[in-house]
């Protein structure tokens, strides 16, 4: 079965309860690994310096009340019941919200957008394109579409959230593993412990990142059982501590204890909120970010039925134990392991380390996914993306990012060496992402859901106030570790903005210097040059017009192939493009010129096929375009590109099984539906070809002689081979540009371009069939 087709079949089918429960079980290992390990370090980080644990228990009860209501209001109320509904055709995360907004209002910064993209099924879901019902919604939409400054601000806001997610991908493995390993301190003296804790944590982290290239699916069957055992373990220990030490600890769930806590501790209590914030860590945002791997219902069931009650019991159990133990013998006695019965500490330590590794795996995979989304939408330099699973499209591995994360994670672990500063850093990164999500959600409520503006204001005010309180408490710890995510986000934001700006300027240069169709028509059918056998693929980012590299190529080498295809591979702001809508194909000039434009559209979560499969789909789509164009007039699935050519939507080979098919082999027999239904167009036997290429054309409806001749020539050209004509550009700021622009383009963008991967298509093409055309872009 074709991979893409399988994805959409699974995507479209209704989920049975068995499927939902299976997904809910699997989500434990992928989504909730990080959230479930937060009891390891929340109380320890909270009571580090700012507040003390007194015999009145007001502090511990106040912290428990804050933890309970934070877990209830943010992950449960905000994310489970509201934010999860704002999915982008099943996908979640910061960039999914931005993509959703781009389709409801024209605020997209992708350079090569077309009106035809808005006809995609995924694009038009959920009443997209319908004007907002409220007057405020309509005025907000028009204001965003008119002012480029607001559009840039929206993009930068989404990028800030993305950068903080990347920063959390560095900080979460460090604090999770380090906190789990800290249980060793109960089994050895402090002098020995300080020499063991950091090396053991670093060894585990190196092993974690070294295993990434195997892919999540190879060890995924271990993830859910580990987290399940861990959740059952901490809930059982919590229940034991409640019954054994303080059955009345449930009274601390009252919000009144939060007031008592702040009244007594004042500034110290406010500053300690940064530690309390860790109870929701990255797991809350992970529920939304990993939505594409599961479903809304499965994630809701897993959280409400198991994760939420287990965490509440765990925190209540720790508070119950601490409420009866006020003598702090050493600085770690306020932590998690001290509340574990002594006979169970070693087994719990092992389970905790495994759970921490699983939690770290989730955020690392999420970092890979969000970088892939940014790269697909032109906001991150191109990196090598390895798909580690042929069945689950979201499981990817990015080598460069993996080793960069490992180095930075080890640097944080060795540099900080304590959970306090790691917690301050991780807390600021998490709460910033949540604030960005809250801001984007308010726009989604008005523009996408078409709800009342008062609902959006209430959402921002209620959740924004809670998150702003935690944000200020985290920001005040700037010098105590909180500077790390800010520094990391700033560096990544500069890289993203420079790359996006350079990409836009390069495309604008292509548009301004493209060759007119009139120039092409003036050359005549022969184009004034020699046409050689074969297919020439001219890669370009233009969706209309003739790229400048073509005229440059003709000037220097007045000969090219009998069939020429201007190929544009682009991303559109939807997670997936269905196989039947993959290609847009059209003629350039009259039919006898044998010039075609082919636009290949991918979503930001789509898997790019390998070169051989892609070539077959490409040639087959052109052949189907030739056949369909000769038997039917323009239909609903056609889009007129204003410049020069009419584009027709054509799917992949697997999506039009009743249309034209292609076979490439050396055998004389191929599988077909039957001689009464299909007939073959064969290449002439005199041609000595490396591959036998045959088009299998439906017998009805009949195609005209011109189309048959065109198909025959396309088939001969395919047998002769495909040559790839790539543009090799050098981007320079034009004379008279400002100093900042020269620094950004000449130094920043060129450095990133030279040190990033070439486009996906350039990686897979054979070097022997590649011809590069160099040009200098003065932008």
């Amino acid at each position: 079965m074709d991979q893409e087709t399988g994805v959409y079949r699974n995507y479209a089918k209704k989920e049975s309860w068995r499927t939902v429960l299976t997904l809910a079980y699997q989500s434990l290992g992928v989504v909730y690994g990080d959230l479930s390990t937060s009891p390891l370090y929340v109380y320890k980080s909270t009571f580090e310096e700012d507040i003390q644990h007194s015999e009145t228990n007001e502090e511990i009860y106040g912290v428990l009340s804050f933890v309970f209501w934070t877990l209830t209001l943010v992950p449960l109320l905000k994310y489970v019941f509201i934010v999860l509904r704002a999915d982008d055709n099943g996908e979640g995360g910061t960039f999914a919200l931005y993509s959703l907004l781009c389709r409801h209002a024209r605020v997209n910064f992708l350079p090569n957008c077309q009106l035809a993209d808005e006809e995609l099924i995924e694009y038009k879901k959920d009443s997209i394109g319908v004007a907002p019902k409220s007057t405020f919604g309509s005025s907000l939409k028009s204001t965003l579409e008119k002012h480029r400054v607001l559009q840039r601000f929206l993009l930068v806001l989404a990028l800030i959230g993305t950068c903080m997610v990347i920063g959390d991908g560095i900080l979460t493995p460090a604090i999770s593993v380090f906190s789990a390993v800290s249980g060793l301190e109960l089994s050895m003296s402090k002098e020995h412990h300080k020499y063991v804790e950091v090396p053991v944590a670093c060894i585990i982290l190196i092993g974690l990142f070294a295993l990434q290239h195997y892919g999540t699916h190879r060890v995924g069957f271990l993830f859910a059982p580990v987290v399940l055992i861990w959740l059952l373990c901490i809930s059982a220990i919590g229940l034991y501590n409640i019954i054994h030490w303080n059955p009345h600890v449930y009274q601390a769930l009252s919000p009144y204890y939060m007031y008592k806590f702040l009244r007594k501790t004042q500034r110290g209590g406010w500053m300690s909120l940064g530690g309390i914030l860790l109870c929701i860590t990255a797991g809350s945002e992970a529920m939304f970010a990993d939505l594409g791997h599961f479903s809304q219902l499965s994630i809701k069931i897993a959280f409400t039925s198991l994760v939420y009650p287990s965490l509440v019991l765990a925190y209540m159990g720790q508070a119950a134990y601490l409420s009866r133990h006020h003598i702090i013998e050493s600085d770690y006695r306020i932590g998690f392991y001290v509340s574990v019965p002594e006979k169970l500490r070693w087994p719990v330590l092992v389970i905790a380390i495994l759970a921490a590794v699983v939690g770290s795996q989730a955020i690392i995979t999420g970092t890979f996914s969000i970088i892939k989304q940014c790269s697909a939408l032109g906001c991150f330099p191109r990196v090598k993306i390895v798909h580690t699973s042929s069945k689950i499209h979201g499981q990817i591995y990015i080598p460069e990012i993996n080793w960069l994360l490992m180095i930075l994670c080890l640097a944080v672990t060795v540099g900080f060496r304590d959970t306090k500063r790691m917690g301050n850093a991780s807390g600021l990164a998490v709460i910033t992402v949540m604030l960005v999500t809250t801001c984007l959600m308010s726009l989604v409520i008005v523009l996408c859901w078409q709800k009342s503006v008062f609902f959006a204001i209430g959402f921002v005010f209620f959740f924004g106030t809670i998150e702003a309180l935690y944000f200020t408490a985290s920001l005040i710890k700037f010098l105590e570790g909180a500077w790390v995510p800010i520094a990391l986000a700033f560096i990544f934001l500069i890289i993203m903005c420079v790359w996006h700006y350079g990409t836009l300027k390069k495309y604008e240069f292509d548009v301004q210097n493209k060759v007119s169709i009139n120039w092409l028509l003036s050359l005549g059918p022969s184009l004034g040059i020699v046409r050689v056998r074969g297919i020439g693929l001219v890669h370009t980012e233009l969706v209309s017009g003739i790229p400048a590299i073509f005229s440059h190529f003709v000037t220097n080498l007045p000969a090219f192939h009998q069939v020429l295809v201007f190929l544009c591979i682009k991303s559109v702001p939807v997670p997936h493009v269905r196989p039947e809508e993959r290609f847009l194909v059209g003629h350039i000039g009259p039919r006898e010129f044998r010039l075609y434009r082919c636009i290949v559209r991918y979503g930001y979560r789509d898997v790019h096929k390998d070169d051989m499969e892609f070539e077959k789909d490409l040639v087959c789509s052109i052949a189907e375009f030739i056949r369909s164009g000769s038997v039917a007039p323009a239909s609903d699935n056609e889009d007129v590109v204003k410049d020069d050519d009419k584009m027709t939507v054509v799917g992949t080979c697997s999506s039009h099984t009743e249309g034209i098919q292609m076979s490439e082999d050396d055998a004389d027999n191929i599988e077909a539906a039957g001689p009464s239904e299909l007939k073959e167009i064969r290449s002439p036997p005199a041609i000595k070809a490396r591959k036998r290429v045959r088009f299998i054309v439906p017998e009805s409806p009949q195609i005209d002689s011109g189309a048959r001749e065109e198909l025959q020539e396309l088939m001969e050209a395919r047998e002769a081979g495909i040559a790839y004509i790539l543009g090799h550009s050098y981007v320079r700021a034009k004379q008279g540009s400002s100093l900042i622009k020269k620094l950004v383009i000449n130094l920043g963008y060129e450095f990133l371009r030279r040190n990033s991967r070439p486009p996906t298509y350039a990686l897979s093409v054979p070097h022997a069939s590649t011809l590069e055309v160099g040009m200098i872009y003065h932008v």
Side-chain angles (χ1 to χ4, degrees):
M1 182 181 69
D2 180 63
Q3 182 178 346
E4 294 176 311
T5 307
V7 168
Y8 289 103
R9 285 175 183 168
N10 293 334
Y11 211 73
K13 69 179 182 182
K14 293 184 178 180
E15 296 171 332
S16 63
W17 275 107
R18 182 178 179 181
T19 304
V20 170
L21 294 177
T22 302
L23 289 174
Y25 170 73
Q26 293 173 344
S27 70
L28 293 176
V30 178
V31 178
Y32 298 113
D34 180 36
L35 190 63
S36 65
T37 56
S38 56
L40 288 170
Y41 44 79
V42 169
Y43 283 132
K44 184 175 182 180
S45 299
T46 304
F47 287 94
E48 196 76 41
E49 288 180 2
D50 303 314
I51 57 175
Q52 298 297 323
H53 176 38
S54 67
E55 294 190 9
T56 62
N57 286 328
E58 288 184 346
E59 294 86 357
I60 191 66
Y61 285 176
V63 170
L64 174 59
S65 185
F66 263 105
V67 167
F68 172 75
W69 286 106
T70 303
L71 276 172
T72 302
L73 294 177
V74 179
L76 185 62
L77 181 59
K78 176 187 172 182
Y79 280 92
V80 170
F81 290 109
I82 300 177
V83 176
L84 283 183
R85 295 178 56 234
D87 64 302
D88 182 16
N89 297 326
E91 299 294 335
T94 305
F95 243 82
L97 287 178
Y98 177 71
S99 172
L100 200 60
L101 290 170
C102 287
R103 301 208 306 277
H104 283 83
R106 299 182 186 276
V107 296
N108 188 16
F109 267 85
L110 283 177
N112 49 7
C113 294
Q114 298 172 276
L115 290 175
D117 298 338
E118 298 180 13
E119 297 300 317
L120 292 169
I121 295 176
E122 300 292 329
Y123 202 108
K124 296 192 295 183
K125 276 186 177 179
D126 303 324
S127 303
I128 290 177
V130 178
K133 297 177 182 178
S134 65
T135 306
F136 179 83
S138 301
S139 60
L140 177 62
K141 178 180 178 181
S142 60
T143 302
L144 287 173
E145 291 176 346
K146 288 178 183 177
H147 297 87
R148 300 285 287 179
V149 175
L150 295 178
Q151 297 173 19
R152 291 190 181 95
F153 174 77
L154 200 61
L155 176 63
V156 170
L157 187 65
L159 292 181
I160 289 174
T162 301
C163 293
M164 285 296 181
V165 171
I166 298 172
D168 197 42
I170 297 166
L171 297 166
T172 294
I175 189 173
S176 297
V177 173
F178 192 85
S179 299
V181 173
S182 66
L184 295 171
E185 62 196 355
L186 295 176
S187 305
M188 59 183 66
S189 63
K190 189 171 183 180
E191 290 74 18
H192 293 121
H193 169 256
K194 65 181 181 180
Y195 294 111
V196 173
E197 189 176 36
V198 174
V200 171
C202 290
I203 290 171
I204 293 174
L205 287 171
I206 292 173
L208 172 65
F209 285 99
L211 291 173
Q212 291 301 312
H213 71 281
Y214 288 109
T216 305
H217 68 287
R218 295 186 184 274
V219 289
F221 69 95
L222 290 175
F223 285 9
V226 167
V227 177
L228 179 61
I229 293 171
W230 169 250
L231 287 171
L232 294 176
C233 177
I234 61 175
S235 59
I237 293 172
L239 190 61
Y240 167 80
N241 285 331
I242 294 171
I243 297 173
H244 189 265
W245 296 110
N246 188 355
H248 301 290
V249 74
Y250 69 89
Q251 297 175 355
L253 302 183
S254 169
Y256 175 67
Y257 283 89
M258 290 193 289
Y259 167 74
K260 291 181 66 176
F261 171 78
L262 292 176
R263 186 182 63 181
K264 180 178 180 179
T265 56
Q266 296 181 359
R267 188 176 186 273
W270 170 62
M271 293 179 66
S272 69
L273 293 180
I276 297 173
L277 170 65
L278 297 177
C279 70
I280 51 178
T281 60
S284 302
E285 190 68 29
M287 283 194 292
F288 185 44
D290 291 327
L291 186 59
H293 299 295
F294 304 100
S295 65
Q296 289 187 33
L297 186 57
S298 63
I299 289 179
K300 290 178 180 179
I301 289 175
F303 184 78
T304 55
S305 64
L306 181 61
V307 179
Y308 177 74
S310 297
L311 290 175
V312 171
L313 284 175
Y315 287 115
M316 289 178 65
Q318 287 188 59
Y321 178 89
L322 294 171
S323 68
R324 294 293 184 263
H325 296 79
H326 304 99
I327 300 175
I328 303 176
E329 299 175 1
S330 58
D331 60 350
Y332 60 77
R333 287 292 178 179
I334 203 74
F336 166 78
Y337 289 103
V338 71
S339 65
V340 178
E342 191 170 350
K343 293 181 179 179
L344 297 177
R345 281 176 185 168
W346 277 106
V348 170
L349 174 65
V350 174
I351 298 172
I353 293 175
L354 291 175
V357 170
V358 171
S360 303
Q361 173 67 45
I363 193 64
I364 292 169
T365 304
T367 304
F368 291 159
S369 297
I370 202 164
I371 287 178
K372 180 182 183 294
Q373 292 181 21
C374 292
S375 181
L377 296 177
C379 295
F380 198 87
R382 290 182 292 265
V383 290
K384 181 180 180 181
I385 297 174
V386 180
H387 294 272
T388 58
S389 174
S390 60
K391 297 180 180 179
I392 304 176
H393 64 275
Q395 293 186 358
I396 60 173
Y397 167 68
I398 305 177
E400 299 96 331
I401 301 300
N402 182 65
W403 302 124
L404 178 62
L405 290 179
M406 187 191 76
I407 293 171
L408 294 175
C409 190
L410 292 175
V412 168
T413 305
V414 175
F416 284 163
R417 303 183 187 182
D418 66 78
T419 55
K420 177 191 173 185
R421 288 183 290 178
M422 290 183 193
N424 293 337
S426 180
L428 184 62
V430 170
I431 199 63
T432 305
V433 178
M434 290 182 177
L435 279 169
V436 169
T437 300
T438 300
C439 294
L440 294 178
M441 267 301 302
S442 64
L443 295 176
V444 169
I445 289 171
V446 176
L447 296 178
C448 306
W449 292 356
Q450 302 178 10
K451 301 292 184 182
S452 169
V453 64
F454 297 106
F455 181 52
I457 293 175
F459 179 87
V460 171
F461 180 78
F462 183 75
F463 293 107
T465 302
I466 297 172
E467 291 160 358
L469 180 65
Y470 282 117
F471 180 78
T472 55
S474 298
L475 196 61
I476 201 70
K477 303 289 186 68
F478 180 82
L479 297 178
E480 299 174 46
W483 61 270
V484 172
I486 295 177
L488 291 172
F490 180 76
I491 294 171
F492 280 107
L493 184 63
I494 291 297
I495 291 173
M496 290 180 177
C497 290
V498 167
W499 182 263
H500 185 68
Y501 178 77
T503 303
L504 278 178
K505 290 299 178 183
K506 183 174 176 292
Y507 183 79
E508 289 173 3
F509 179 88
D510 278 333
V511 172
Q512 293 168 2
N513 292 273
K514 65 182 180 182
V515 180
S516 67
I517 292 296
N518 292 331
W519 171 81
L520 181 68
L521 296 176
S522 66
L523 298 178
S526 67
L527 301 183
I529 55 178
V530 179
R531 305 292 291 268
V532 298
R533 292 179 59 240
I535 298 177
L537 292 183
V538 182
H539 285 274
T540 175
E541 294 181 4
L542 293 177
V543 294
S544 63
I546 307 298
I549 62 168
F550 178 76
S551 60
H552 190 65
F553 173 73
V554 171
T555 303
N556 290 274
L557 186 65
F560 58 83
H561 303 82
Q562 65 189 105
V563 174
L564 200 65
V565 181
F566 291 93
L567 179 65
C568 173
I569 301 177
K570 71 172 188 175
S571 294
V572 291
V574 295
H576 304 283
V577 174
R578 299 182 178 229
E580 58 267 24
E581 300 175 305
R582 175 75 67 214
F583 295 94
L584 275 174
V585 186
H587 279 115
I588 298 180
R591 174 186 288 184
E592 59 269 18
F593 280 38
R594 304 297 190 251
L595 300 183
Y596 306 92
R597 183 184 312 287
C598 187
I599 299 171
V600 191
R601 302 178 291 186
Y602 286 98
Y604 57 78
R605 292 293 299 269
D606 275 331
V607 179
H608 291 227
K609 289 189 174 183
D610 58 53
D611 55 333
M612 296 303 296
E613 189 72 18
F614 176 77
E615 287 178 6
K616 181 178 179 180
D617 276 344
L618 177 65
V619 176
C620 198
S621 67
I622 296 175
E624 177 64 17
F625 163 73
I626 295 170
R627 184 195 71 87
S628 61
S630 69
V631 298
S635 59
D636 292 338
N637 67 343
E638 293 185 353
D639 172 62
V640 178
V641 179
K642 294 180 180 179
D643 275 23
D644 52 273
D645 47 359
K646 184 179 292 184
M647 307 293 287
T648 302
V649 178
V650 182
T652 59
C653 292
S654 60
S655 65
H656 52 77
T657 53
E658 296 181 357
I660 198 165
Q661 298 291 315
M662 185 177 72
S663 174
E664 295 179 310
D665 58 3
D666 297 324
D668 291 324
N669 58 331
I670 67 170
E671 293 183 3
S676 61
E677 299 177 12
L678 302 174
K679 58 182 179 181
E680 299 177 358
I681 295 181
R682 295 174 178 265
S683 57
I687 297 178
K688 301 292 183 181
R690 288 170 295 176
K691 276 190 176 182
R692 301 280 297 177
V693 178
R694 291 179 287 185
F695 287 137
I696 307 173
V697 185
E699 192 166 294
S700 179
Q702 293 290 333
I703 60 176
D704 57 40
S705 58
R708 184 170 295 276
E709 181 182 344
E710 195 173 354
L711 285 172
Q712 185 75 47
E713 191 166 353
L714 177 64
M715 189 166 39
E716 293 176 13
R718 177 65 185 96
E719 281 195 345
I722 295 180
Y724 301 83
I725 303 170
L726 310 178
H728 191 78
S729 58
Y730 298 89
V731 183
R732 294 287 183 272
K734 57 187 176 184
Q735 287 186 341
S737 300
S738 64
L739 178 62
I740 295 179
K741 183 176 180 179
K742 289 180 179 178
L743 289 175
V744 169
I745 297 296
N746 296 348
L747 295 180
Y749 180 75
E750 269 301 293
F751 174 80
L752 293 174
R753 188 192 62 80
R754 287 196 304 269
N755 291 278
S756 64
R757 296 272 177 167
T760 305
Y761 57 79
L763 285 171
S764 58
V765 299
H767 293 290
S769 305
T770 303
L771 178 64
E772 290 192 0
V773 181
M775 282 192 66
I776 298 178
Y777 286 59
H778 294 284
V779 299

